[in-house]
Amino acid sequence: MPSPRHKFATAVTCIDGRVQQPIVDWVKLNMNVHYVDLITEPGPDLMLSDGPTLVIDEIIRKVSFSIQYHASSVVAVTGHHDCAANHATREEHIEHILDGVRVVLSYQPNVRVLGLWLNEWESVELVWDTQQQERASGLP
């Protein structure tokens, strides 16, 4: 187990190397954590929303590992612009992210779950936060 002074979060991100650093930086800054465990999957928002059960189970297994062994207090489900594995519009990505948030919450109801969108300018947008219990982006 890590030291209690080391706080962790978990991010379910795309394998795309353009995505990981902006997501990690945002989560560390905004969630006041020291480290972010990365769980990577091509098109993770689509996989959690509509992927094969085997893939969803594997993502959740890794999220659970991070929570159990690193006491991760926040899980971010992410999607990004120009994803090679999910050719959806921004609005469709947001729906996939929200579906992914629901999936994570169904397995881990006692953690804070975020939905994050990395836009075309590599800026992170908060689209869901269970602490706010509403879409942060103002989308209907």
Side-chain angles (χ1 to χ4, degrees):
M1 274 309 245
S3 163
R5 70 178 190 273
H6 294 151
K7 295 179 359 185
F8 279 80
T10 305
V12 181
T13 69
C14 191
I15 64 166
D16 188 324
R18 299 172 294 175
V19 173
Q20 296 161 10
Q21 196 62 53
I23 294 293
V24 167
D25 291 345
W26 189 96
V27 170
K28 286 170 81 173
L29 178 68
N30 290 281
M31 296 297 115
N32 193 31
V33 297
H34 300 102
Y35 304 103
V36 180
D37 290 342
L38 294 177
I39 298 165
T40 63
E41 183 70 35
D45 53 336
L46 179 60
M47 286 300 104
L48 282 170
S49 175
D50 195 30
T53 302
L54 185 64
V55 173
I56 295 169
D57 289 348
E58 188 62 14
I59 292 170
I60 295 301
R61 183 186 71 77
K62 292 172 185 177
V63 167
S64 298
F65 185 93
S66 178
I67 292 167
Q68 180 178 355
Y69 292 102
H70 287 162
S72 182
S73 59
V74 177
V75 176
V77 175
T78 70
H80 72 98
H81 172 76
D82 196 30
C83 182
N86 185 359
H87 300 283
T89 66
R90 178 187 185 279
E91 291 74 23
E92 291 168 327
H93 271 285
I94 300 300
E95 289 305 317
H96 296 157
I97 291 167
L98 295 174
D99 287 345
V101 166
R102 285 189 278 278
V103 168
V104 171
L105 283 171
S106 73
Y107 288 90
Q108 296 293 341
N110 297 320
V111 298
R112 183 175 184 181
V113 182
L114 308 175
L116 302 178
W117 167 249
L118 186 69
N119 66 29
E120 57 268 33
W121 301 284
E122 295 185 4
S123 178
V124 176
E125 300 175 24
L126 177 66
V127 297
W128 183 267
D129 182 345
T130 53
Q131 282 196 347
Q132 296 175 6
Q133 296 293 312
E134 61 187 34
R135 290 186 192 197
S137 68
L139 292 172

